[in-house]
Coordinates of all heavy atoms in Angstrom, one line a residue:
H50 N -68.0 29.7 -3.2 CA -68.1 31.2 -3.4 C -68.2 31.9 -2.1 O -67.3 32.0 -1.4 CB -69.3 31.4 -4.4 CG -68.9 31.0 -5.8 ND1 -68.9 29.7 -6.2 CD2 -68.5 31.7 -6.9 CE1 -68.5 29.6 -7.5 NE2 -68.2 30.8 -7.9
D106 N -63.8 31.4 -5.1 CA -63.8 32.3 -6.2 C -64.4 33.6 -5.9 O -65.3 33.8 -5.0 CB -64.7 31.7 -7.3 CG -64.0 30.4 -8.0 OD1 -63.0 30.0 -7.5 OD2 -64.6 30.0 -9.0
D107 N -63.9 34.6 -6.6 CA -64.5 36.0 -6.7 C -64.1 37.0 -5.6 O -64.5 38.1 -5.6 CB -66.0 35.9 -6.7 CG -66.5 35.1 -7.9 OD1 -65.7 34.7 -8.7 OD2 -67.8 34.8 -7.9
H178 N -58.4 34.9 -11.3 CA -59.7 34.6 -11.8 C -60.2 35.6 -12.9 O -61.4 35.8 -13.1 CB -60.7 34.6 -10.6 CG -62.0 33.9 -10.8 ND1 -62.2 32.8 -11.6 CD2 -63.3 34.2 -10.3 CE1 -63.5 32.5 -11.5 NE2 -64.2 33.3 -10.8
H182 N -63.7 39.4 -14.2 CA -64.6 38.2 -14.2 C -65.3 38.0 -15.6 O -66.5 37.9 -15.7 CB -65.6 38.3 -13.1 CG -66.2 37.0 -12.7 ND1 -67.3 36.4 -13.2 CD2 -65.7 36.1 -11.7 CE1 -67.5 35.2 -12.7 NE2 -66.6 35.0 -11.8
P218 N -63.6 32.1 -15.2 CA -64.9 32.6 -14.8 C -66.0 31.7 -15.6 O -65.8 31.4 -16.7 CB -64.9 34.0 -15.4 CG -63.5 34.4 -15.3 CD -62.7 33.2 -15.7
Y219 N -67.0 31.3 -14.8 CA -68.1 30.5 -15.3 C -67.6 29.1 -15.8 O -68.3 28.3 -16.4 CB -68.9 31.2 -16.5 CG -69.2 32.6 -16.1 CD1 -68.4 33.6 -16.7 CD2 -70.2 32.9 -15.2 CE1 -68.7 35.0 -16.4 CE2 -70.5 34.3 -14.9 CZ -69.7 35.3 -15.5 OH -69.9 36.6 -15.2
Ligands
ZN401 ZN1 -66.3 33.5 -10.5

Side-chain angles (χ1 to χ4, degrees):
H50 286 80
D106 288 10
D107 305 347
H178 195 38
H182 203 269
Y219 315 102

